[in-house]
Amino acid sequence: MLLFPNQYKKVGYMYLLQLLIPAFYLYFMKSWEQVVLGIVLLGLLALSYILTWWTTGRRYTLIVIGEILLMLIMGAVLNPGFLSVVFWPAAAIGQLHSARHRMWALVVLIASGLTEVFVLAHVRHASLEPWWPMIFAGVAAAVLTVYAVRWQAQITRSRHELEVANTEIERLTKLAERDRISQDLHDVLGHELALITLKSQLAERLVYRDASRAQRELREIRDSAKRTLTKVRDYIATARTPVLDEEWIAAKHLLRAADISCETGGEIASVELASACAQALAMSLRELTTNLVRHSSASRAKLYSEETEHSLWLWIADNGQGLSQSDTQHGGHGLSGIMARLNAVNGELGIWSRGQWITFWHPEETTQLAAFSPFTTVFVVRVPKAARSKMEVGI
Protein backbone atom coordinates (compact mmCIF):
# COMPACT_ATOMS: atom_id res chain seq x y z
CA MET A 1 0.00 0.00 0.00
CA LEU A 2 1.31 3.43 -0.95
CA LEU A 3 1.51 5.71 2.10
CA PHE A 4 2.59 8.86 0.23
CA PRO A 5 2.24 10.19 -3.33
CA ASN A 6 5.13 9.16 -5.57
CA GLN A 7 6.63 12.63 -5.87
CA TYR A 8 6.68 13.02 -2.07
CA LYS A 9 7.75 9.53 -1.00
CA LYS A 10 11.23 10.44 0.23
CA VAL A 11 10.06 13.43 2.26
CA GLY A 12 7.09 11.53 3.68
CA TYR A 13 9.08 8.54 4.88
CA MET A 14 11.84 10.79 6.23
CA TYR A 15 9.40 12.63 8.50
CA LEU A 16 7.65 9.39 9.47
CA LEU A 17 10.90 7.73 10.57
CA GLN A 18 11.74 10.76 12.70
CA LEU A 19 8.87 9.77 15.00
CA LEU A 20 11.39 7.34 16.50
CA ILE A 21 12.97 10.34 18.25
CA PRO A 22 9.98 11.19 20.50
CA ALA A 23 9.36 7.45 20.89
CA PHE A 24 12.67 7.37 22.78
CA TYR A 25 10.96 9.19 25.66
CA LEU A 26 8.76 6.14 26.23
CA TYR A 27 11.80 4.43 27.71
CA PHE A 28 11.61 6.81 30.69
CA MET A 29 7.93 6.28 31.42
CA LYS A 30 7.15 5.13 34.96
CA SER A 31 4.37 2.66 34.10
CA TRP A 32 3.30 0.35 31.29
CA GLU A 33 0.04 2.29 31.03
CA GLN A 34 1.99 5.41 30.05
CA VAL A 35 4.04 3.40 27.53
CA VAL A 36 0.92 1.99 25.90
CA LEU A 37 -0.74 5.42 25.88
CA GLY A 38 2.39 6.93 24.33
CA ILE A 39 2.48 4.29 21.58
CA VAL A 40 -1.21 4.90 20.81
CA LEU A 41 -0.77 8.69 20.66
CA LEU A 42 2.34 8.42 18.48
CA GLY A 43 0.45 6.01 16.20
CA LEU A 44 -2.40 8.51 15.89
CA LEU A 45 0.11 11.25 15.10
CA ALA A 46 1.71 9.07 12.39
CA LEU A 47 -1.73 8.28 10.94
CA SER A 48 -2.74 11.94 10.91
CA TYR A 49 0.55 12.85 9.22
CA ILE A 50 -0.05 10.28 6.48
CA LEU A 51 -3.60 11.57 5.99
CA THR A 52 -2.33 15.12 5.42
CA TRP A 53 -0.92 13.92 2.09
CA TRP A 54 -4.28 12.64 0.88
CA THR A 55 -6.81 15.21 2.13
CA THR A 56 -7.66 18.82 1.30
CA GLY A 57 -10.01 21.58 2.40
CA ARG A 58 -11.75 21.44 5.77
CA ARG A 59 -10.66 17.88 6.47
CA TYR A 60 -7.06 18.99 6.17
CA THR A 61 -7.65 21.82 8.64
CA LEU A 62 -9.24 19.37 11.10
CA ILE A 63 -6.23 17.06 10.80
CA VAL A 64 -3.86 19.97 11.56
CA ILE A 65 -5.93 20.83 14.65
CA GLY A 66 -5.85 17.14 15.65
CA GLU A 67 -2.05 17.04 15.39
CA ILE A 68 -1.75 20.13 17.63
CA LEU A 69 -4.08 18.54 20.19
CA LEU A 70 -2.09 15.27 20.12
CA MET A 71 1.10 17.26 20.79
CA LEU A 72 -0.51 19.04 23.75
CA ILE A 73 -1.95 15.81 25.18
CA MET A 74 1.40 14.01 25.00
CA GLY A 75 3.20 16.93 26.63
CA ALA A 76 0.65 17.20 29.46
CA VAL A 77 -0.08 13.54 30.19
CA LEU A 78 3.23 11.84 29.43
CA ASN A 79 6.23 14.14 29.45
CA PRO A 80 6.89 17.77 28.42
CA GLY A 81 9.63 16.37 26.17
CA PHE A 82 6.90 15.14 23.82
CA LEU A 83 6.32 18.77 22.82
CA SER A 84 9.23 18.11 20.44
CA VAL A 85 6.67 16.59 18.05
CA VAL A 86 5.93 20.21 17.11
CA PHE A 87 7.71 19.38 13.82
CA TRP A 88 4.78 17.31 12.53
CA PRO A 89 1.94 19.85 12.96
CA ALA A 90 4.39 22.49 11.69
CA ALA A 91 5.05 20.40 8.56
CA ALA A 92 1.28 20.05 8.02
CA ILE A 93 0.83 23.82 8.45
CA GLY A 94 3.51 24.41 5.82
CA GLN A 95 1.33 22.60 3.26
CA LEU A 96 -1.58 25.05 3.68
CA HIS A 97 -2.06 27.00 0.44
CA SER A 98 -3.29 30.26 1.98
CA ALA A 99 -0.54 32.44 3.49
CA ARG A 100 -3.11 33.88 5.91
CA HIS A 101 -4.18 30.44 7.09
CA ARG A 102 -0.55 29.38 7.50
CA MET A 103 0.20 32.42 9.64
CA TRP A 104 -2.81 31.92 11.92
CA ALA A 105 -2.15 28.19 12.28
CA LEU A 106 1.49 28.86 13.17
CA VAL A 107 0.45 31.43 15.78
CA VAL A 108 -2.02 28.94 17.29
CA LEU A 109 0.65 26.21 17.34
CA ILE A 110 3.27 28.35 19.08
CA ALA A 111 0.80 30.01 21.47
CA SER A 112 -0.75 26.70 22.56
CA GLY A 113 2.68 25.11 23.06
CA LEU A 114 4.00 28.03 25.12
CA THR A 115 0.80 28.16 27.16
CA GLU A 116 1.14 24.48 28.02
CA VAL A 117 4.78 24.97 29.04
CA PHE A 118 3.91 27.85 31.39
CA VAL A 119 0.91 26.01 32.86
CA LEU A 120 2.94 22.84 33.51
CA ALA A 121 5.73 24.87 35.14
CA HIS A 122 3.22 26.64 37.38
CA VAL A 123 1.40 23.42 38.37
CA ARG A 124 4.60 21.57 39.12
CA HIS A 125 6.25 24.58 40.79
CA ALA A 126 9.19 24.23 38.41
CA SER A 127 11.53 26.96 37.27
CA LEU A 128 11.57 27.73 33.56
CA GLU A 129 15.04 29.21 33.60
CA PRO A 130 16.87 26.01 32.55
CA TRP A 131 14.31 25.43 29.77
CA TRP A 132 14.45 28.82 28.00
CA PRO A 133 17.03 27.64 25.41
CA MET A 134 14.84 24.64 24.58
CA ILE A 135 11.73 26.83 24.39
CA PHE A 136 13.37 29.26 21.96
CA ALA A 137 14.76 26.35 19.95
CA GLY A 138 11.30 24.78 19.70
CA VAL A 139 9.69 28.04 18.53
CA ALA A 140 12.45 28.58 15.96
CA ALA A 141 12.15 24.95 14.78
CA ALA A 142 8.38 25.33 14.31
CA VAL A 143 8.77 28.53 12.26
CA LEU A 144 11.62 27.15 10.15
CA THR A 145 9.77 23.88 9.51
CA VAL A 146 6.69 25.71 8.23
CA TYR A 147 8.67 27.78 5.76
CA ALA A 148 11.03 24.95 4.78
CA VAL A 149 8.09 22.68 3.96
CA ARG A 150 6.41 25.50 2.07
CA TRP A 151 9.56 26.17 0.06
CA GLN A 152 9.94 22.47 -0.70
CA ALA A 153 6.28 22.25 -1.77
CA GLN A 154 6.76 25.18 -4.14
CA ILE A 155 9.82 23.52 -5.67
CA THR A 156 7.93 20.26 -6.14
CA ARG A 157 4.96 22.07 -7.64
CA SER A 158 7.22 24.04 -9.99
CA ARG A 159 8.94 20.82 -11.05
CA HIS A 160 5.57 19.22 -11.75
CA GLU A 161 4.46 22.24 -13.77
CA LEU A 162 7.73 22.08 -15.69
CA GLU A 163 7.15 18.39 -16.47
CA VAL A 164 3.63 19.19 -17.69
CA ALA A 165 5.00 22.03 -19.83
CA ASN A 166 7.71 19.75 -21.25
CA THR A 167 5.09 17.12 -22.07
CA GLU A 168 3.03 19.73 -23.90
CA ILE A 169 6.11 20.99 -25.73
CA GLU A 170 6.91 17.42 -26.76
CA ARG A 171 3.35 16.93 -28.01
CA LEU A 172 3.43 20.16 -30.00
CA THR A 173 6.88 19.28 -31.35
CA LYS A 174 5.54 15.93 -32.59
CA LEU A 175 2.60 17.68 -34.26
CA ALA A 176 4.95 20.16 -35.92
CA GLU A 177 7.20 17.30 -37.03
CA ARG A 178 4.22 15.46 -38.54
CA ASP A 179 3.22 18.60 -40.40
CA ARG A 180 6.77 19.00 -41.66
CA ILE A 181 6.96 15.36 -42.76
CA SER A 182 3.61 15.58 -44.54
CA GLN A 183 4.75 18.75 -46.32
CA ASP A 184 8.09 17.18 -47.24
CA LEU A 185 6.39 14.07 -48.60
CA HIS A 186 4.03 16.27 -50.60
CA ASP A 187 7.01 18.15 -52.03
CA VAL A 188 8.90 14.91 -52.74
CA LEU A 189 6.03 12.89 -54.19
CA GLY A 190 3.47 15.41 -55.40
CA HIS A 191 5.15 16.52 -58.63
CA GLU A 192 6.36 13.07 -59.68
CA LEU A 193 3.05 11.34 -58.93
CA ALA A 194 1.14 14.04 -60.83
CA LEU A 195 3.53 13.53 -63.76
CA ILE A 196 3.05 9.74 -63.63
CA THR A 197 -0.73 10.18 -63.61
CA LEU A 198 -0.72 12.51 -66.64
CA LYS A 199 1.68 10.36 -68.64
CA SER A 200 -0.23 7.16 -67.86
CA GLN A 201 -3.45 8.79 -69.10
CA LEU A 202 -1.64 9.95 -72.25
CA ALA A 203 -0.15 6.47 -72.82
CA GLU A 204 -3.61 4.95 -72.44
CA ARG A 205 -4.95 7.17 -75.23
CA LEU A 206 -1.94 6.58 -77.52
CA VAL A 207 -1.63 2.82 -77.13
CA TYR A 208 -3.90 2.12 -80.16
CA ARG A 209 -3.10 5.25 -82.22
CA ASP A 210 0.67 5.64 -81.82
CA ALA A 211 2.27 2.59 -80.22
CA SER A 212 5.85 3.86 -80.42
CA ARG A 213 4.97 7.11 -78.65
CA ALA A 214 2.97 5.18 -76.05
CA GLN A 215 6.04 3.05 -75.37
CA ARG A 216 8.11 6.20 -74.95
CA GLU A 217 5.60 7.58 -72.46
CA LEU A 218 5.63 4.28 -70.53
CA ARG A 219 9.44 4.40 -70.34
CA GLU A 220 9.21 7.93 -68.95
CA ILE A 221 6.64 6.69 -66.41
CA ARG A 222 9.07 3.95 -65.36
CA ASP A 223 11.93 6.45 -65.03
CA SER A 224 9.73 8.81 -63.04
CA ALA A 225 8.69 5.98 -60.71
CA LYS A 226 12.36 5.08 -60.15
CA ARG A 227 13.22 8.70 -59.37
CA THR A 228 10.33 8.86 -56.93
CA LEU A 229 11.40 5.65 -55.20
CA THR A 230 14.97 6.96 -54.89
CA LYS A 231 13.75 10.25 -53.43
CA VAL A 232 11.54 8.44 -50.91
CA ARG A 233 14.41 6.18 -49.85
CA ASP A 234 16.78 9.13 -49.50
CA TYR A 235 14.21 11.05 -47.50
CA ILE A 236 13.51 8.13 -45.13
CA ALA A 237 17.22 7.43 -44.66
CA THR A 238 17.83 11.11 -43.83
CA ALA A 239 14.81 11.35 -41.52
CA ARG A 240 15.61 8.18 -39.59
CA THR A 241 19.39 8.34 -39.45
CA PRO A 242 20.39 8.21 -35.76
CA VAL A 243 23.54 9.92 -34.46
CA LEU A 244 25.70 7.60 -32.36
CA ASP A 245 26.88 10.02 -29.65
CA GLU A 246 23.37 11.46 -29.31
CA GLU A 247 21.95 7.95 -28.84
CA TRP A 248 24.61 7.29 -26.19
CA ILE A 249 23.48 10.37 -24.22
CA ALA A 250 19.79 9.57 -24.80
CA ALA A 251 20.32 6.01 -23.52
CA LYS A 252 21.81 7.31 -20.26
CA HIS A 253 18.96 9.79 -19.84
CA LEU A 254 16.36 7.07 -20.55
CA LEU A 255 17.82 4.72 -17.94
CA ARG A 256 18.03 7.41 -15.28
CA ALA A 257 14.48 8.59 -16.06
CA ALA A 258 13.34 5.00 -15.43
CA ASP A 259 15.08 5.02 -12.00
CA ILE A 260 17.73 2.60 -13.25
CA SER A 261 21.18 3.37 -11.88
CA CYS A 262 23.46 3.78 -14.90
CA GLU A 263 27.22 3.26 -14.98
CA THR A 264 29.13 4.18 -18.14
CA GLY A 265 32.62 3.66 -19.46
CA GLY A 266 34.53 4.30 -22.68
CA GLU A 267 34.42 7.27 -25.02
CA ILE A 268 32.06 6.60 -27.88
CA ALA A 269 31.96 10.12 -29.37
CA SER A 270 35.61 10.08 -30.52
CA VAL A 271 35.35 6.86 -32.56
CA GLU A 272 35.24 7.24 -36.35
CA LEU A 273 32.91 4.77 -38.08
CA ALA A 274 31.49 4.33 -41.55
CA SER A 275 28.02 5.91 -41.70
CA ALA A 276 26.21 2.58 -42.21
CA CYS A 277 28.04 1.02 -39.24
CA ALA A 278 27.35 4.05 -37.06
CA GLN A 279 23.66 3.86 -37.99
CA ALA A 280 23.48 0.16 -37.18
CA LEU A 281 25.25 0.63 -33.84
CA ALA A 282 23.15 3.65 -32.89
CA MET A 283 19.87 1.89 -33.68
CA SER A 284 21.01 -1.22 -31.79
CA LEU A 285 21.90 0.91 -28.77
CA ARG A 286 18.51 2.63 -28.91
CA GLU A 287 16.49 -0.60 -29.18
CA LEU A 288 18.50 -2.56 -26.61
CA THR A 289 18.21 0.28 -24.08
CA THR A 290 14.48 0.59 -24.72
CA ASN A 291 14.07 -3.19 -24.26
CA LEU A 292 16.07 -3.01 -21.04
CA VAL A 293 13.70 -0.40 -19.61
CA ARG A 294 10.53 -2.15 -20.81
CA HIS A 295 11.25 -5.81 -20.14
CA SER A 296 14.20 -6.39 -17.79
CA SER A 297 12.79 -5.12 -14.43
CA ALA A 298 16.35 -4.01 -13.68
CA SER A 299 17.54 -1.51 -11.09
CA ARG A 300 21.14 -1.22 -12.34
CA ALA A 301 22.68 -1.00 -15.80
CA LYS A 302 26.06 -0.45 -17.37
CA LEU A 303 26.97 0.98 -20.78
CA TYR A 304 30.53 0.39 -21.91
CA SER A 305 32.29 0.91 -25.23
CA GLU A 306 35.68 -0.39 -26.31
CA GLU A 307 37.61 0.38 -29.49
CA THR A 308 39.95 -2.14 -31.09
CA GLU A 309 41.98 -1.93 -34.28
CA HIS A 310 39.17 -2.92 -36.65
CA SER A 311 35.99 -2.84 -34.57
CA LEU A 312 33.96 -0.97 -32.01
CA TRP A 313 32.45 -3.01 -29.17
CA LEU A 314 29.44 -1.96 -27.15
CA TRP A 315 28.47 -3.70 -23.90
CA ILE A 316 25.00 -3.17 -22.37
CA ALA A 317 24.46 -4.96 -19.04
CA ASP A 318 21.63 -5.07 -16.49
CA ASN A 319 20.71 -6.89 -13.28
CA GLY A 320 17.19 -7.75 -14.42
CA GLN A 321 15.33 -11.00 -14.91
CA GLY A 322 17.50 -12.23 -17.79
CA LEU A 323 16.71 -13.88 -21.15
CA SER A 324 16.14 -17.45 -22.27
CA GLN A 325 17.16 -19.34 -25.40
CA SER A 326 13.60 -19.08 -26.75
CA ASP A 327 13.76 -15.26 -26.64
CA THR A 328 16.49 -15.28 -29.26
CA GLN A 329 15.14 -18.20 -31.29
CA HIS A 330 11.77 -16.50 -31.72
CA GLY A 331 13.19 -13.01 -32.10
CA GLY A 332 11.65 -11.82 -28.85
CA HIS A 333 11.96 -8.18 -27.76
CA GLY A 334 12.90 -7.15 -31.33
CA LEU A 335 16.20 -9.06 -31.22
CA SER A 336 15.73 -10.46 -34.74
CA GLY A 337 15.54 -6.94 -36.16
CA ILE A 338 18.68 -5.90 -34.28
CA MET A 339 20.56 -8.97 -35.52
CA ALA A 340 19.45 -8.37 -39.12
CA ARG A 341 20.58 -4.74 -38.97
CA LEU A 342 24.00 -5.74 -37.61
CA ASN A 343 24.42 -8.60 -40.08
CA ALA A 344 23.93 -6.13 -42.93
CA VAL A 345 27.19 -4.40 -41.98
CA ASN A 346 29.00 -7.58 -40.91
CA GLY A 347 28.35 -6.77 -37.27
CA GLU A 348 27.40 -9.20 -34.51
CA LEU A 349 25.19 -9.39 -31.43
CA GLY A 350 26.15 -11.62 -28.49
CA ILE A 351 23.85 -12.25 -25.54
CA TRP A 352 25.06 -13.62 -22.21
CA SER A 353 22.43 -14.30 -19.55
CA ARG A 354 22.59 -16.03 -16.18
CA GLY A 355 25.96 -17.69 -16.65
CA GLN A 356 25.86 -18.76 -20.29
CA TRP A 357 25.99 -17.45 -23.84
CA ILE A 358 22.55 -17.88 -25.40
CA THR A 359 23.78 -16.82 -28.82
CA PHE A 360 26.91 -18.04 -30.59
CA TRP A 361 29.83 -15.84 -29.62
CA HIS A 362 33.61 -15.56 -29.62
CA PRO A 363 35.09 -17.71 -26.84
CA GLU A 364 37.88 -15.18 -26.29
CA GLU A 365 35.35 -12.51 -25.32
CA THR A 366 34.24 -14.53 -22.28
CA THR A 367 37.13 -13.02 -20.31
CA GLN A 368 35.55 -9.58 -20.62
CA LEU A 369 32.56 -10.72 -18.55
CA ALA A 370 34.55 -10.43 -15.33
CA ALA A 371 33.87 -6.69 -15.38
CA PHE A 372 30.12 -7.41 -15.51
CA SER A 373 29.88 -9.98 -12.71
CA PRO A 374 27.10 -8.19 -10.74
CA PHE A 375 24.84 -8.24 -13.79
CA THR A 376 22.55 -11.03 -14.99
CA THR A 377 22.36 -10.11 -18.69
CA VAL A 378 24.97 -8.65 -21.02
CA PHE A 379 24.43 -7.64 -24.65
CA VAL A 380 27.62 -7.38 -26.70
CA VAL A 381 27.45 -5.51 -30.01
CA ARG A 382 30.36 -5.45 -32.46
CA VAL A 383 30.52 -3.40 -35.66
CA PRO A 384 33.47 -2.97 -38.01
CA LYS A 385 34.89 0.53 -38.36
CA ALA A 386 34.61 0.31 -42.14
CA ALA A 387 31.49 -0.97 -43.87
CA ARG A 388 32.05 -4.07 -46.00
CA SER A 389 28.58 -4.21 -47.49
CA LYS A 390 26.04 -1.64 -48.50
CA MET A 391 23.06 -1.05 -46.26
CA GLU A 392 20.14 1.33 -46.28
CA VAL A 393 18.92 1.53 -42.70
CA GLY A 394 15.19 1.43 -42.14
CA ILE A 395 14.15 0.98 -45.80
Side-chain angles (χ1 to χ4, degrees):
M1 180 181 176
L2 193 64
L3 296 181
F4 304 101
N6 280 327
Q7 63 268 36
Y8 299 108
K9 277 195 303 187
K10 292 182 180 179
V11 176
Y13 284 112
M14 180 186 70
Y15 273 91
L16 198 60
L17 287 174
Q18 287 178 358
L19 279 175
L20 295 174
I21 297 173
F24 175 73
Y25 287 106
L26 295 176
Y27 180 77
F28 300 100
M29 295 294 99
K30 297 180 180 179
S31 66
W32 283 105
E33 290 81 2
Q34 286 183 313
V35 172
V36 172
L37 179 59
I39 292 173
V40 170
L41 292 174
L42 285 174
L44 289 174
L45 183 62
L47 177 62
S48 63
Y49 175 70
I50 293 170
L51 290 175
T52 58
W53 294 97
W54 302 101
T55 55
T56 56
R58 291 184 178 180
R59 289 184 180 179
Y60 190 91
T61 305
L62 291 175
I63 291 174
V64 173
I65 295 172
E67 289 188 353
I68 296 175
L69 291 175
L70 286 170
M71 177 192 75
L72 298 175
I73 292 171
M74 284 188 283
V77 177
L78 299 176
N79 188 303
F82 279 97
L83 291 174
S84 61
V85 299
V86 68
F87 288 102
W88 284 268
I93 291 171
Q95 295 282 7
L96 291 170
H97 294 294
S98 171
R100 179 167 158 269
H101 291 168
R102 282 199 307 275
M103 182 59 66
W104 277 110
L106 180 59
V107 169
V108 170
L109 175 63
I110 294 174
S112 61
L114 290 176
T115 301
E116 179 167 296
V117 169
F118 289 128
V119 170
L120 289 175
H122 178 72
V123 171
R124 300 180 183 184
H125 304 289
S127 173
L128 286 174
E129 186 174 351
W131 295 97
W132 279 117
M134 294 297 294
I135 293 171
F136 284 121
V139 172
V143 174
L144 290 175
T145 299
V146 168
Y147 287 98
V149 169
R150 188 63 193 165
W151 174 72
Q152 189 175 43
Q154 289 176 341
I155 291 178
T156 304
R157 190 175 296 109
S158 299
R159 185 180 300 158
H160 176 69
E161 292 172 354
L162 181 61
E163 290 175 356
V164 171
N166 287 338
T167 302
E168 181 65 12
I169 290 172
E170 184 178 356
R171 185 184 70 84
L172 294 175
T173 302
K174 288 180 179 178
L175 289 176
E177 183 68 9
R178 288 171 185 167
D179 291 340
R180 184 190 68 81
I181 291 173
S182 64
Q183 184 61 46
D184 288 348
L185 287 176
H186 178 271
D187 295 341
V188 170
L189 300 177
H191 172 73
E192 294 292 347
L193 291 178
L195 181 63
I196 290 173
T197 301
L198 291 174
K199 286 188 171 294
S200 62
Q201 292 172 348
L202 179 59
E204 184 180 14
R205 290 196 297 268
L206 292 174
V207 69
Y208 297 112
R209 293 189 302 175
D210 190 345
S212 60
R213 186 179 173 187
Q215 289 177 351
R216 187 168 64 251
E217 295 293 338
L218 290 172
R219 284 194 294 270
E220 291 183 5
I221 291 173
R222 180 195 60 196
D223 295 339
S224 181
K226 286 183 177 180
R227 287 196 305 271
T228 303
L229 181 59
T230 301
K231 288 180 180 180
V232 171
R233 285 179 170 175
D234 291 342
Y235 176 78
I236 293 175
T238 302
R240 296 183 61 185
T241 299
V243 180
L244 183 55
D245 54 346
E246 292 179 359
E247 291 296 333
W248 180 264
I249 296 172
K252 293 189 288 184
H253 288 170
L254 176 62
L255 291 171
R256 287 164 184 162
D259 286 333
I260 298 175
S261 174
C262 179
E263 177 185 349
T264 59
E267 184 58 52
I268 206 166
S270 62
V271 180
E272 294 185 3
L273 293 173
S275 60
C277 296
Q279 280 183 265
L281 185 60
M283 288 299 296
S284 300
L285 173 60
R286 178 193 297 179
E287 294 183 24
L288 289 172
T289 307
T290 302
N291 287 341
L292 191 159
V293 171
R294 288 180 177 175
H295 306 296
S296 71
S297 301
S299 60
R300 288 183 58 201
K302 182 175 182 178
L303 304 179
Y304 180 76
S305 65
E306 181 181 11
E307 183 181 7
T308 59
E309 183 178 358
H310 301 294
S311 303
L312 178 65
W313 301 79
L314 180 64
W315 303 69
I316 304 171
D318 67 75
N319 66 342
Q321 60 189 1
L323 292 174
S324 64
Q325 195 79 32
S326 61
D327 289 324
T328 57
Q329 290 175 347
H330 299 95
H333 308 315
L335 295 177
S336 58
I338 298 173
M339 292 178 178
R341 183 177 288 109
L342 291 171
N343 288 337
V345 292
N346 290 320
E348 296 173 285
L349 173 66
I351 304 173
W352 180 89
S353 185
R354 298 194 178 278
Q356 63 177 344
W357 290 102
I358 59 176
T359 59
F360 178 76
W361 195 242
H362 303 273
E364 66 272 14
E365 291 304 322
T366 306
T367 57
Q368 296 281 0
L369 292 174
F372 299 89
S373 57
F375 300 96
T376 54
T377 304
V378 182
F379 293 93
V380 189
V381 180
R382 185 198 66 82
V383 294
K385 291 184 179 179
R388 301 175 190 173
S389 61
K390 294 182 179 180
M391 184 187 78
E392 294 176 334
V393 174
I395 299 179

